[in-house]
Structures are given as C-alpha cells and as structure tokens.
Amino acid sequence: MTATTTAPARDEDDDRTPPSDDPFDQDQLPTPPGATGVLLRSLLSPMRGRVAVTALLLLLQQAAVQAGPLLVAYAIDRAVPAFRGDDNGPLIAVAVGYLLCAVAAGALQYAFVTASARVSQDVLLDLRGRIFRHAQALSVDFHERYTSGRLISRSTTDVESLRELLEEGLQELVMVILSAVYISVLLLWLDLGLGAVAVVSFVPLYLLVRSYQRRAGRVYRKRSTAIAAVIVKFVETMNGIRPVRAFRREAVNDAEFAVLNRRHERTNGDALLEMARYVVGSRITANTTVALIVLWGAYRVADDTLELGVLAAAVLYLRRLYDPIDRLGMFLNSYQSAAASLEKIAGLLAQTPSVPEPSAPRELPERRSGLPGREVVFDDVRFAYRTGGEVLPRFGLTLPAGQTVAVVGSTGAGKSTLAKLLARFYDPTDGRVLLDGTDLRDLTGRDLRREVVMVTQEAFLFSGTVAENISIGRPDATRQEIEQAAKEIGAHDFIAALPDGYDTDVRKRGGRISAGQRQLVAFARALLADPAVLILDEATSSLDIPGERAVQRAMATVLKGRTAVVIAHRLSTVEIADRVLVMEHGRIVEDGSPAGLIAGTGRFADLHRAWRDSLA
Ligand SMILES: Nc1ncnc2c1ncn2[C@@H]1O[C@H](COP(=O)(O)OP(=O)(O)OP(=O)(O)O)[C@@H](O)[C@H]1O
Ligand SMILES: [Mg+2]
C-alpha cells in the first residue's frame, strides 16, 4: 500500500472552508452538528449483531497472536532448563501450544476478515443507494447550486475513501490499537520496568503521529482540491467538446490542463515527503527504544534481576508493536479522510427538498367532464431565485380550463420562470399557484406529475428504446398506444425508419435522432401522458420551417383537451393560441387574443409586423 492509494480524497470542496474562487468551494453545504453521527448509527444499527461478532473475533484473534512471545519466554526460562534435566514434557507442551495458537490465530483471522468484509460491503451498498435516492429526490434548485461534479464526487471519491477505510484501514487500525493495549499490559505484567519504558515510548510516537496528521491533513486537502480541479477541467472540456472544436479552444485547454496537472503532481510530491518524514521519525524512535531495552535488560539479566526469556519476549513484543507504526500514519489518514467524506455525505443527506412533499396532501377533484384541462391561477405570486433579485414581482394570472395561452417577451423576461413555477420546480417566494383551486404545494409529487407536464427545448432522451422514451409518463401504455401517440404527432414515419423501429436504442444510435426528432418524441411522450396542463417552453424551436404545417398539426393535437402554456419565439406557433401574454421584466404588459393584439398598437403588433415583413 502506498500513500497514493490511501489518498485521502479529502475536502476537494471542504464544505467548511470559506468561499473562494474555486468552483468546487462555492456554496458550501454545512453539515448540521450531529448529522455524521446520526448517519453512522443509522448505517450500522441494522447490523449491530454482526458488528459485535466481528469485534469479538478480532479480540480472540489478537489474544491468540500475542500468546507467541509469552510461550517463547516460557520455553527459554522453564522448558529448556527442564529439558536439560531430562523432562521434555514442558518443551512439547510449548511446541504444541505454539502450534495451536498459530492455527487458532489463522482461523480467527479468516473468520474476522470474512465477517468484516460482509459488514463493510453492506454499509457501502446502503450508502450508495441512499446518496442516489436522496440526490434524485432533491429539488431542482439544489441541483442548480450543487453541481453534478460534486454529486459524482460524493458517490465515488467519498464512498471510495470510506471503502478504503472499511476494507483496509479500519481493520489494521483497530488491530494496531488493540495489540498496543494487549502488549502494554503483557509487558507490564512480565516486568514492570520494561513495560514502563515501552509505555513511555508511546509519548514521542503519539506526538509524531499527531504532527504528521496535522501536516499531512493540510497537504492532502490541497491535493484533493488539485485532483478535483483536474477532474472538473476534464469533464467540462469533454462535455463541451463541440464548442471546443468550433472555437479552436484545444491549445488554450491544453495549457490550462497542464497547469492543473502539474499542481496535482506537486501536491502529490508534498504528500509523499510528509510520509517519508514520518516514517523516518517513527523508526528512529522505535529502534532507540528497542536499543535502550536491550541494553538495560542485558544489565539486569547479568544482575540476575531479569530472566533471559522475559527479555527475549519483551524484544519480540516491541518488534510487533513498532512494526505497524510506519503504516499507522497512513491508517490514521485514511480514517481522517473517511471521516471527512462521511461528514460531506451526511451534509448531502441532511439536505431537505426546498420543494417538499405535503404533510397532508390534498386530492384534486375529478377532471370536470365537458371542460377539459384545469384552471390555473397565479395568486399574487412573487418569486426570486436563491441567487439574484426578484424575477416575478407580484404576479397575478388566471388561465381558464382548456385555454391555450402563448407567452412571448424578450430574453430574460421571466417566461421560463413562470413555466417552472407552474411545474413546481420551485415554490413561489410569496403567494400561491393554484390548480383548480388547490395549491400546488398541497399536491403529492405523483399527482402533480400526472396533472402538469412540461416539454422543454432540450427534449432529453433517456437511455433505452424509443418506445420506452415515449411511455415515460405512462409506463403501462401498450405498444399500440405508443404507436398511436407517435402517429398523431407525426413521429411515426421517422421512428419506423430507424434500424429497429420503436425498439431502437436511442443511446447506441443517438446520432441518428436529430434535435427535431427528439422534440417530436417529447411531444408523443406528452400526448401519451395526457396531463391536464401542458407547458411547452421553446419546445418547437428545433422543428424545421418546411415542416411547419406538420408542427402546427402536432401542436394542435397535443394541446387539445387541456390547459396549455406555450412559450415560443416563433410567431406562427403563437397563432394557434386563444390568448397571448406579452411579458417584460416579470410583468404582463399585454394580454389579449392574437387577432386583437395584432390589430392594436402594442409590442405584439410591432413584433408581428416585423415577423410578417421578414417572411415576405
Ligand atoms: N436558475 C436560475 N438562478 C438564478 N437566476 C435565474 C435562473 N434562471 C433564470 N434566472 C434569471 O431570471 C430571469 C428570468 O429568466 P427566464 O429564464 O425566466 O427568462 P425567459 O423569459 O425564459 O428568457 P428566454 O426567452 O431567454 O428563455 C433572468 O434574469 C435570469 O437571469
Ligand atoms: Mg426561457
């Protein structure tokens, strides 16, 4: 094991350090006091019994191991003299006893390693699952603050440092501490003076370990930040490979990466240097103690105040005591880094969704027959993102059930914000968003997702087949229903032309599904989900103009029978709306029918005129 493998993946974003320019350091997640302990207990308590058995196995194993030097002392001081006096009984007893201890120690070690491996695997399994489930359940605004890079680092690097501790460090650490206790007691019992020297030698060793920990902790923290920076740079570059190519950023990126890479290398060197200093210091202390004991012991043997066997046993014990000291610094590091990791994981798991599930959920009344969709009301809503000023100042709006409303306005006006509030990605800072009179905050997430669906520009496809992607909103849909939805949207022809039709894996052949086709799949998905309220945020932006007629048809199909909010820059899509809202700076500045607004003299009339001129 080298210092690199125990690489305490510490604090690449130590959540307690003050803010800095490092992207990993920004927006700390403070771990509430006690959260780490609560997490640890909740992880271990289901396997309390097994932990106890594992501990017992270790105690017994150490007892068997530490019996060896005692038997040697007995052999030298009793069995050999007896053998000289023609009694070979004690010698045979010692040999048999030694053998039995060795066999018992081996068997117990095997049992202990197996038992502890099972415990640690179960802990890690549980922890990984919890991180995933929890992160997935957290609100959108959390994910905007806490980058996916940090989440990845929580579930990989941090879990990995726990794994290292559980699988390698912890056993050794406990063994070292346990054997130190056993050996000190045995030495003190064998000979108070020799035992006292050994115990006193713990003082400089302890100071050495502490100082190493402090210094190494600093170095490791720096190194983890350096590693994280390398990873972030790597991920960012590869994620943005298209703009990188388009803007010829390769050379700049190479240079930036080289700097980060070198910084990582330097901190690595520093870490190894600290390790080397520690190893040298601890060896000098250990060997000095052994030399002192041999010297003093020899005097006393000569004086007949100490038996030779006891001195031999003492030296053997000291060797056992000091041998693992070299590695103790490393175990402690892996312990420290695992503790820091656990703390960060606990901080993540202690986060509560800012868009919480209702404690007393309310059911929506059945969808009224005859009146399709549901009424949407923004009741005196104010909203500000966590970072930044108020985006919606006192916003009131009523959309009658079944109405299709188009929202237009310049970039940054707050259109998408409006949509995200309606889909309850965020809760209003003040006021309420009502669906048929019920506050969105009183609906369960499940009900809400059934009632309100948002289709955005990205039209994200999950790995899986095209059919699976269409049926996400209604997993129980039959193939026939899926194809029906695709046909109504006008996506059937291109899907049927894919290599495996509806069974084509979108990731494997992702390149074959264009942005426009993805949007059609997203429309089919929305149609099949059949929500009461549908929000389209720039959802037609990738569909081609020649297909405009088809787009209009697809839109009309998907909007029929529901309340719809359509955000679009393209005015042709606006024409199918019953009502147009023009937004500026979070306010509605115009509100009316498309024809009415076009006939007027407002902003929409200007926009429309400019658009018509551009077509001519
Ligand atoms: N996640 C966010 N955190 C902080 N501020 C945000 C966030 N999203 C949007 N904003 C800010 O809120 C304001 C409104 O943004 P919004 O996305 O609603 O605009 P939009 O009308 O949809 O614009 P566009 O037409 O460009 O899509 C902008 O000033 C934007 O900077
Ligand atoms: Mg937008």
Side-chain angles (χ1 to χ4, degrees):
M1 193 159 45
T2 66
T4 327
T5 58
T6 39
R10 281 199 60 139
D11 306 2
E12 81 289 6
D13 54 345
D14 189 338
D15 293 324
R16 289 153 304 168
T17 49
S20 73
D21 288 341
D22 193 313
F24 265 61
D25 273 354
Q26 268 163 21
D27 201 50
Q28 337 295 328
L29 276 189
T31 304
T36 313
V38 170
L39 172 61
L40 200 60
R41 270 195 298 282
S42 78
L43 285 170
L44 289 178
S45 67
M47 36 195 107
R48 244 186 323 241
R50 284 155 65 198
V51 172
V53 169
T54 312
L56 184 69
L57 285 170
L58 187 62
L59 278 173
L60 293 174
Q61 191 260 352
Q62 279 298 310
V65 166
Q66 304 307 353
L70 265 188
L71 288 169
V72 170
Y74 179 79
I76 294 175
D77 296 335
R78 305 277 177 278
V80 171
F83 187 63
R84 285 206 180 106
D86 261 358
D87 179 8
N88 60 4
L91 203 55
I92 289 171
V94 165
V96 170
Y98 204 90
L99 201 65
L100 284 181
C101 280
V103 170
L108 285 164
Q109 167 111 13
Y110 179 83
F112 164 74
V113 168
T114 329
S116 71
R118 288 217 183 96
V119 169
S120 61
Q121 288 313 315
D122 286 355
V123 166
L124 294 172
L125 181 81
D126 184 8
L127 196 61
R128 283 198 190 94
R130 283 197 210 191
I131 294 173
F132 182 82
R133 281 194 303 274
H134 194 81
Q136 188 176 238
L138 284 172
S139 312
V140 173
D141 85 311
F142 170 82
H143 290 279
E144 281 169 352
R145 286 179 293 130
Y146 204 77
T147 57
S148 56
R150 295 171 82 196
L151 274 179
I152 290 170
S153 141
R154 286 299 86 80
S155 62
T156 55
T157 327
D158 286 330
V159 172
E160 181 65 10
S161 83
L162 269 178
R163 187 196 65 74
E164 270 169 15
L165 176 70
L166 288 174
E167 284 178 7
E168 298 160 18
L170 194 59
Q171 303 176 12
E172 300 256 15
L173 193 61
V174 174
M175 268 193 209
V176 170
I177 293 170
L178 200 59
S179 69
V181 173
Y182 267 112
I183 290 174
S184 308
V185 171
L186 282 171
L187 278 177
L188 286 168
W189 173 69
L190 278 175
D191 185 89
L192 214 54
L194 292 188
V197 174
V199 170
V200 167
S201 78
F202 288 172
V203 176
L205 282 174
Y206 173 78
L207 294 177
L208 210 61
V209 166
R210 281 308 302 268
S211 116
Y212 169 68
Q213 265 190 294
R214 250 197 316 275
R215 301 167 62 103
R218 266 198 302 274
V219 174
Y220 279 130
R221 224 186 326 264
K222 270 200 202 135
R223 191 178 68 167
S224 317
T225 314
I227 297 173
V230 168
I231 294 174
V232 166
K233 182 75 196 164
F234 198 97
V235 170
E236 197 185 271
T237 306
M238 300 313 155
N239 276 346
I241 193 72
R242 286 183 191 84
V244 165
R245 283 282 144 70
F247 291 96
R248 306 255 170 279
R249 284 272 302 174
E250 291 93 336
V252 180
N253 280 338
D254 280 348
E256 284 175 5
F257 189 79
V259 170
L260 296 173
N261 208 8
R262 258 199 304 279
R263 196 174 85 188
H264 175 211
E265 182 215 6
R266 246 194 333 270
T267 52
N268 231 347
D270 290 347
L272 289 172
L273 201 66
E274 287 299 335
M275 189 70 199
R277 284 197 186 125
Y278 167 75
V279 168
V280 170
S282 67
R283 288 216 177 135
I284 289 175
T285 312
N287 288 326
T288 309
T289 316
V290 173
L292 282 176
I293 286 201
V294 169
L295 201 65
W296 186 44
Y299 268 112
R300 288 181 47 199
V301 170
D303 274 1
D304 269 344
T305 52
L306 185 70
E307 286 178 294
L308 184 61
V310 172
L311 179 59
V315 171
L316 283 176
Y317 275 130
L318 285 177
R319 287 294 313 274
R320 286 192 177 188
L321 192 58
Y322 295 140
D323 266 356
I325 290 263
D326 280 3
R327 288 171 297 160
L328 184 64
M330 233 153 49
F331 305 147
L332 285 173
N333 265 327
S334 91
Y335 170 78
Q336 266 189 328
S337 97
S341 290
L342 195 67
E343 191 181 326
K344 279 189 273 183
I345 293 173
L348 171 63
L349 293 181
Q351 289 292 303
T352 49
S354 59
V355 177
E357 283 281 303
S359 48
R362 288 179 53 180
E363 301 247 343
L364 278 177
E366 282 293 303
R367 264 202 233 179
R368 280 172 253 165
S369 61
L371 262 186
R374 290 189 189 276
E375 183 198 56
V376 170
V377 174
F378 281 79
D379 177 20
D380 217 8
V381 166
R382 300 173 70 166
F383 180 74
Y385 289 99
R386 277 177 59 108
T387 53
E390 199 160 64
V391 178
L392 296 183
R394 299 220 157 276
F395 189 89
L397 175 66
T398 300
L399 306 179
Q403 189 173 69
T404 296
V405 53
V407 182
V408 298
S410 48
T411 286
K415 305 179 296 292
S416 297
T417 306
L418 188 72
K420 288 187 279 187
L421 283 170
L422 179 51
R424 206 185 171 214
F425 287 0
Y426 309 90
D427 279 335
T429 323
D430 200 13
R432 303 177 300 166
V433 181
L434 305 169
L435 194 61
D436 264 358
T438 304
D439 194 326
L440 293 187
R441 282 176 283 220
D442 292 333
L443 296 176
T444 63
R446 219 171 132 257
D447 281 353
L448 185 69
R449 294 297 150 238
R450 208 176 45 223
E451 298 290 339
V452 182
V453 164
M454 173 145 111
V455 180
T456 61
Q457 190 172 9
E458 294 95 30
F460 188 81
L461 295 188
F462 297 92
S463 43
T465 66
V466 175
E468 283 163 0
N469 264 288
I470 293 177
S471 64
I472 275 171
R474 238 182 72 197
D476 58 341
T478 64
R479 176 55 62 93
Q480 211 181 354
E481 289 169 320
I482 294 172
E483 287 189 22
Q484 183 59 34
K487 277 185 186 138
E488 284 182 39
I489 291 300
H492 177 76
D493 290 346
F494 98 79
I495 297 172
L498 289 171
D500 298 321
Y502 283 84
D503 294 318
T504 305
D505 190 310
V506 297
R507 277 284 183 275
K508 282 197 192 123
R509 305 175 207 251
R512 298 192 189 189
I513 297 189
S514 72
Q517 288 168 338
R518 277 209 309 273
Q519 290 194 332
L520 288 180
V521 169
F523 273 127
R525 185 190 280 168
L527 183 65
L528 194 61
D530 190 26
V533 177
L534 181 66
I535 307 159
L536 305 180
D537 190 354
E538 315 272 347
T540 57
S541 56
S542 298
L543 296 175
D544 51 350
I545 299 290
E548 191 125 30
R549 193 56 60 65
V551 175
Q552 301 285 26
R553 253 204 320 275
M555 292 269 289
T557 308
V558 81
L559 298 181
K560 204 168 64 206
R562 51 192 115 252
T563 312
V565 176
V566 181
I567 301 169
H569 284 302
R570 195 184 292 169
L571 291 193
S572 62
T573 38
V574 170
E575 281 179 337
I576 62 166
D578 306 316
R579 177 181 178 189
V580 177
L581 300 174
V582 182
M583 268 185 92
E584 285 311 324
H585 304 298
R587 287 198 171 79
I588 295 172
V589 293
E590 284 174 43
D591 180 355
S593 68
L597 288 184
I598 290 167
T601 55
R603 255 187 61 85
F604 188 67
D606 290 345
L607 277 174
H608 194 266
R609 215 170 300 118
W611 172 66
R612 236 196 357 235
D613 291 349
S614 76
L615 289 184

